[in-house]
């Protein structure tokens, strides 16, 4: 399978180079014909001007014609030079832009054909994972799947070639290929999981301040949408970006429940899910939003304090392993080392 993929890649590369060469030659021929036509029209204009001056000047026409001849040839030569410069500039521009245009068009065709094959359920699942990770590198589901397939096709080959360079046998090269295949399977998902965790931790740190700002805005008499607008204008970060998207979706016609549910799905955070569930329940039952947010703010700060205490209680257990493995052996060597050396010397000197 890898051999077939390699042969297909080489064939497509040769065909692309051939197509680029043919297109460049055709453009060069068209430009040459255009330059020749412009130079011929300039020469014809010079000759007609000479004949007209000869007819009006009478006896002095020959001298005028003699002077006009070199001028006309100079104009034609200048036209040829300008045409040649234009041709060289156009050829340089084509060299720079033709390859880029070919690569862009090929990438668009590849994405379009691959997006047709991607199932809607799978595309929605990948889209949700990308949104939870903050959409790294502005990737779409099609880009993510193409990246996965590229890693599956290229990484085992590269790792196998590395094993070949190291001088491994057939078994070692196959083992390296299997390791590369496993890495290609696990790396994209692990990267998205890592980005999701980092984003969730950042949102958890921002949550108490966001709740305080929303509570103060609502107590000042603003509505919920106006409070979100105030939050967006005053804060930056993960939660501010998510609420900005939520507000835009509300303005585009989504209901508040749908927009807030989308925020809850895009951020993997239990505290935020509880908060949004309480907001939706308060809106449904007609309870005051300020009271709900105040209670949620107190709960979030209490949980934050409990997490800090939990981390402080875990610290001695985490310090135990470095102490046993690294600190205590060093202390034993420093304290008992001289005594052991003296003990060995004493017993070795005795007859």
């Amino acid at each position: 399978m890898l051999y077939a993929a390699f042969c297909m890649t080489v064939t497509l590369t040769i065909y692309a180079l051939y197509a680029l060469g043919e297109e460049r030659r055709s453009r060069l021929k068209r430009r040459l014909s255009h330059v020749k036509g412009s130079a011929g029209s300039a020469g014809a204009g010079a000759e007609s001007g000479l004949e007209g001056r000869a007819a009006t000047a009478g006896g002095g026409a020959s001298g005028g014609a003699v002077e006009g001849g070199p001028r006309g040839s100079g104009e034609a030569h200048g036209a040829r030079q300008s045409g040649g410069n234009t041709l060289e500039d156009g050829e340089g521009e084509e060299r720079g832009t033709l390859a880029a245009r070919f690569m862009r068009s090929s990438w668009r065709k590849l994405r379009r054909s691959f997006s047709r094959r991607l199932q809607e359920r799978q595309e929605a699942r990948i889209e949700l994972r990308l949104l939870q990770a903050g959409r790294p590198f502005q990737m779409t589901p099609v880009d993510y799947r193409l990246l996965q397939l590229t890693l599956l096709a290229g990484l085992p080959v590269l790792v196998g070639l590395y094993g070949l360079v190291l001088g491994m046998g057939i078994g070692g090269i196959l083992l390296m290929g299997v390791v590369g295949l496993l890495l290609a399977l696990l790396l994209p998902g692990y990267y998205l999981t890592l980005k999701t965790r980092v984003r969730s931790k950042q949102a958890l740190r921002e949550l108490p301040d966001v709740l305080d700002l929303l509570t103060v805005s609502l107590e000042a008499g603003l509505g919920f949408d106006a409070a979100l607008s105030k939050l967006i204008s005053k804060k930056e970060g993960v939660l501010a970006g998510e609420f900005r998207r939520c507000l835009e979706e509300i303005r585009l016609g989504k209901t508040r429940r749908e927009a807030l549910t989308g925020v809850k799905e895009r951020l993997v955070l239990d505290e935020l899910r509880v908060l949004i569930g309480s907001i939706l329940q308060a809106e449904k039952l007609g309870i005051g939003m300020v009271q709900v947010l105040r209670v949620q703010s107190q709960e979030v700060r209490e949980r934050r304090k409990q997490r800090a205490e939990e981390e402080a209680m875990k610290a001695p257990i985490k310090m135990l392993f470095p102490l046993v493995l690294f600190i205590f052996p060093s202390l034993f060597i420093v304290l008992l080392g001289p005594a052991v050396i003296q003990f060995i010397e004493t017993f070795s000197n005795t007859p």
Side-chain angles (χ1 to χ4, degrees), residues 329-341:
S330 302
L331 288 176
F332 291 153
I333 291 172
V334 171
L335 295 176
L336 301 178
V340 172
I341 293 173

Side-chain angles (χ1 to χ4, degrees), residues 232 243-254:
I232 291 167
F243 282 122
R244 181 182 293 111
R245 178 167 181 168
C246 171
L247 193 60
E248 290 175 356
E249 289 177 352
I250 292 173
R251 289 171 180 172
L252 289 175
K254 275 190 176 183

